[in-house]
Amino acid sequence: MSVMYTELGADVLAAAAAASIVAPTVAAIDKAVAESSADPKKLWPSFFATGRQICTKPHVFVRSPAFLWITGLYTGTYAAVNIMSSYEERCGERCPTTKSTVVVGVNGTLAMMKDRALAVLASGRSPAPLPSLAVGAWLGRDAIGMTACFVLPEYVGELLAKWPGLTLSQQATNVAQMTVPLMAQPAVSPFHLLGYLAYNQPHASYATYWESLKGQVGGVAALRVLRGFPPYCVGAVANKSLRERLHGAAESVEDAFGNVVQGLVPAAVVMGVQAREAPPPEAHHGVSINEGGP
């Protein structure tokens, strides 16, 4: 049981560390996309403005809603991936459907909360319920994106490992993790943008959404490809590497603790036997001060 809790702690710690690495870039991009859904001219100016804030006022940036939401989003997502990977290792088999369902569920829930918060900030209006179109668009985005980011790379890596130039399985997996998520970003970009458009213009016609998508999706797709690299390529590889290192360290600590316990138990048994076999101490036969003559 203690090993399971140690592994769980390692899974969450690796997730939080990896999330903190990717959060600045992703926060800048998501904030820019959210603001461009209300005003298309704000896409690149917003991105570069956040970049300047990261460089010149990092203490302010790390307290911003965008950074905090993104850090929470990817901590939860990476933790779900890690915990499911630990579950697969304990079961001794892969569970792609279960893993994909859990990761999409966790990521989709957190991403929906994050996107709604950023949409509210970008619109400048009081919070409003999410339209069903926005919910459906973002769920479709997450289902495609999470499968491409955390499930498909393992299988693509196995295929790449058969190529002559990629003899190492880990090398092939890293190549797949660096490429497959980026290839999926143009496919998820319309869903991502449509969710913001539906929130900002809940009563617009489908023709209006279509015209907005045609005019903006190119820039959003370019930023989505840039956005996909930190969390799903660099972050995913860093998360996996940190998890393996922390699991290895946890196993070493458990083994060392087990060896200490194994050494202490026989010693305690021997001491107990010696204590039982030792003769009782001799009684003192001296004369009490209260005894004696008259």
Side-chain angles (χ1 to χ4, degrees):
M1 185 65 70
S2 61
V3 176
M4 184 180 69
Y5 286 131
T6 302
E7 291 180 350
L8 178 63
D11 289 341
V12 175
L13 182 59
S20 66
I21 295 173
V22 306
T25 303
V26 179
I29 293 173
D30 276 12
K31 181 182 177 184
V33 173
E35 292 181 350
S36 72
S37 64
D39 183 356
K41 296 180 180 180
K42 289 185 176 181
L43 182 65
W44 293 104
S46 173
F47 173 69
F48 290 120
T50 305
R52 286 193 297 271
Q53 186 184 54
I54 294 172
C55 296
T56 60
K57 299 179 179 179
H59 60 288
V60 176
F61 172 73
V62 296
R63 297 197 302 269
S64 66
F67 176 80
L68 296 176
W69 274 110
I70 294 299
T71 302
L73 167 63
Y74 285 108
T75 297
T77 301
Y78 292 149
V81 173
N82 292 345
I83 291 170
M84 286 306 303
S85 297
S86 296
Y87 174 77
E88 289 178 327
E89 291 171 0
R90 286 186 172 275
C91 292
E93 61 179 354
R94 287 181 176 176
C95 308
T97 303
T98 303
K99 184 176 185 178
S100 181
T101 301
V102 170
V103 173
V104 169
V106 172
N107 178 269
T109 301
L110 295 175
M112 199 82 65
M113 296 168 62
K114 177 267 300 181
D115 288 327
R116 182 177 182 274
L118 294 184
V120 169
L121 292 173
S123 67
R125 305 194 309 265
S126 58
L130 280 177
S132 58
L133 180 59
V135 174
W138 285 336
L139 285 179
R141 171 202 65 188
D142 294 331
I144 297 172
M146 292 302 98
T147 301
C149 295
F150 295 110
V151 178
L152 290 182
E154 295 183 11
Y155 296 94
V156 175
E158 291 181 354
L159 295 176
L160 292 177
K162 299 177 182 179
W163 286 22
L166 296 173
T167 56
L168 298 178
S169 176
Q170 186 61 46
Q171 182 184 18
T173 300
N174 288 342
V175 170
Q177 188 65 66
M178 290 288 185
T179 55
V180 175
L182 296 183
M183 295 171 64
Q185 296 311 305
V188 303
S189 296
F191 296 95
H192 185 68
L193 178 58
L194 179 59
Y196 284 112
L197 293 173
Y199 182 84
N200 289 325
Q201 307 172 53
H203 304 296
S205 65
Y206 287 104
T208 301
Y209 292 142
W210 176 245
E211 290 300 319
S212 297
L213 283 173
K214 287 194 300 183
Q216 301 180 44
V217 75
V220 172
L223 271 182
R224 286 286 306 188
V225 172
L226 177 61
R227 179 196 187 279
F229 188 74
Y232 303 135
C233 300
V234 176
V237 171
N239 175 57
K240 186 175 182 180
S241 176
L242 287 170
R243 174 183 174 274
E244 291 174 351
R245 289 176 179 273
L246 290 174
H247 273 235
E251 291 175 0
S252 300
V253 171
E254 290 289 342
D255 291 342
F257 181 74
N259 292 334
V260 171
V261 171
Q262 290 177 0
L264 290 176
V265 169
V269 172
V270 171
M271 291 176 63
V273 171
Q274 291 176 345
R276 288 195 299 269
E277 293 178 351
E282 295 181 0
H284 183 67
H285 299 292
V287 178
S288 174
I289 59 175
N290 295 325
E291 298 178 358

